[in-house]
Amino acid sequence: MEFDSVLQKAKLSGLSKILGTPESLFVFLSDNTTGRCGRRIYINSNLQNVFLQHVAAEDFGLIMHKLEQLRATAGGLKTFSCIDNAFEHFSTVERFQVGYKIFQNTGSSQRKPGIYITSLEAFEVKGEKPGLYNVKEVDGKWGAEESERIIHNYAAVNGLTRNLPMAADKIIPPMLESAYNSKEYQGSVKDGYSLIYNPPELHYQKKRWKTPQNKINGKSFTAKLLGDSILEAQRRGKEVNWVVHGDGAKIFLEAMQRISNHKLDKHRVLFLAPRESMVNILPLVRQSQMKLHKSVMKFQADDWSEGSFKNRTHTAVGKEVEKFGEGFKQKSAEMRLEATSNSLKVGALALTAGSLYKLPAALAAPSLAWRSQSLRNMASLNIADPALNPHLHPFKSKSEMHAHVITETGGLAKSFAAVVKARLKGRNS
């Protein structure tokens, strides 16, 4: 890199304002961002070395021009916006992540109105857009490609995941195979399945961000795509067996609100650890004549995440299941008994390990081990890692989940360390 050449270009562009020792921490990005045309852009003067060390001389003009365009584009549809702080955003400019805050001329802020660049990082966030994908297994690995319609007998809406490859390859196939492993179902999951991809929130610098895909398409876009895909398959007479996982139930609810006045008897659905109220979803499924999987919904024993908790402890869910007819009366009774039992389990898990000292050692030790495994699993509920998170394994028993975690991580102590490390890195790590 020709550092002297970059430095010279910086001075000529007006970036020289950040090369000295300014009286203020924030200074104008360039002579073109002083407010004569568009919003002012300020930059933290401590970022000069980050910028100059990662820009080749021949790229400087282009990158500066795009940074200056933030006068018009900052905070727009192609911006990552912080969910928890309306002032905070970042944009991708070439190979930089540019973090900034936008202050309006409200009179209440101590800062002058404008865009304040607070961070520059030389890497780029990459994501996949929501859509309908055809997923097939090739050489032992599932791969996804965009599709115009549902072409398989099996389909899914994903919940928590890091990205499309993880959802398509690691998370959804085991769920479909466990849900539909009986000979009564036509075709094999091994032949492929269709996926309505529901992108995760971006977690960056321990904050939640609404991605450009979320802003442009949003939950409503994905819900409309799901509804249209279900209707199109119904009109073709295509029988489709669905699993709807986690936050995918939110998408499913909105889709059904759009299309529940249509007959959808070619579809069957199973809900896996749904994070949306089943009391709201089940009447729409029944109204549309969509078939309900005999298991209705499945949860791993330690999945007490938000949404899952309500569905596992409310007897009203079982009452809704009973309305599906004679074939679901026993399942309904089981679910209501489980809801009552689960409420008691939550109370037991709330007890602290410190209370165990009152028990004889022979009883306290296994009780503590049981609780510690559950607490480890519960601490993983927002981590998008199939090696750790019980939310991603609704078919596993308590012992199967524990065996899975220690096998994947290399041992009991390492499993706790892995959870701590993942939580420190953030949800999508």
Side-chain angles (χ1 to χ4, degrees), residues 162 203 205-206 420-429:
R162 289 179 191 159
H203 283 65
Q205 293 185 341
K206 298 182 180 179
V420 172
K421 183 178 179 180
R423 283 178 65 86
L424 288 174
K425 289 178 66 177
R427 176 179 179 179
N428 289 339
S429 299

Side-chain angles (χ1 to χ4, degrees), residues 46 63 67 79 127 265 287 383:
N46 293 325
I63 293 175
L67 284 173
T79 300
D265 63 336
Q287 177 183 326
I383 298 171

Side-chain angles (χ1 to χ4, degrees), residues 327-397:
F328 285 91
K329 281 194 173 181
Q330 181 173 334
K331 182 63 179 177
S332 169
E334 291 173 3
M335 291 176 69
R336 281 181 280 181
L337 288 171
E338 286 175 0
T340 302
S341 175
N342 285 336
S343 296
L344 297 175
K345 286 180 183 178
V346 172
L349 284 170
L351 294 175
T352 63
S355 67
L356 297 174
Y357 78 93
K358 297 179 182 179
L359 296 175
L363 296 177
S367 183
L368 179 58
W370 179 84
R371 290 173 194 272
S372 63
Q373 292 171 24
S374 292
L375 292 172
R376 177 202 61 200
N377 292 344
M378 291 165 64
S380 306
L381 289 174
N382 285 326
I383 298 171
D385 187 345
L388 301 171
N389 192 344
H391 179 64
L392 303 178
H393 299 278
F395 288 95
K396 281 185 168 56
S397 67

Side-chain angles (χ1 to χ4, degrees), residues 276-306:
E276 177 60 65
S277 173
M278 292 295 289
V279 174
N280 295 332
I281 292 175
L282 289 172
L284 297 174
V285 172
R286 189 172 62 253
Q287 177 183 326
S288 69
Q289 300 179 45
M290 183 179 283
K291 298 181 180 71
L292 188 61
H293 191 284
K294 59 187 177 183
S295 296
V296 183
M297 60 183 190
K298 298 282 289 185
F299 297 87
Q300 204 282 328
D302 291 325
D303 184 359
W304 298 108
S305 53
E306 185 179 357

Side-chain angles (χ1 to χ4, degrees), residues 99-110:
Y100 53 89
K101 295 183 179 181
I102 301 176
F103 292 96
Q104 308 294 345
N105 190 12
T106 62
S108 59
S109 173
Q110 294 180 350

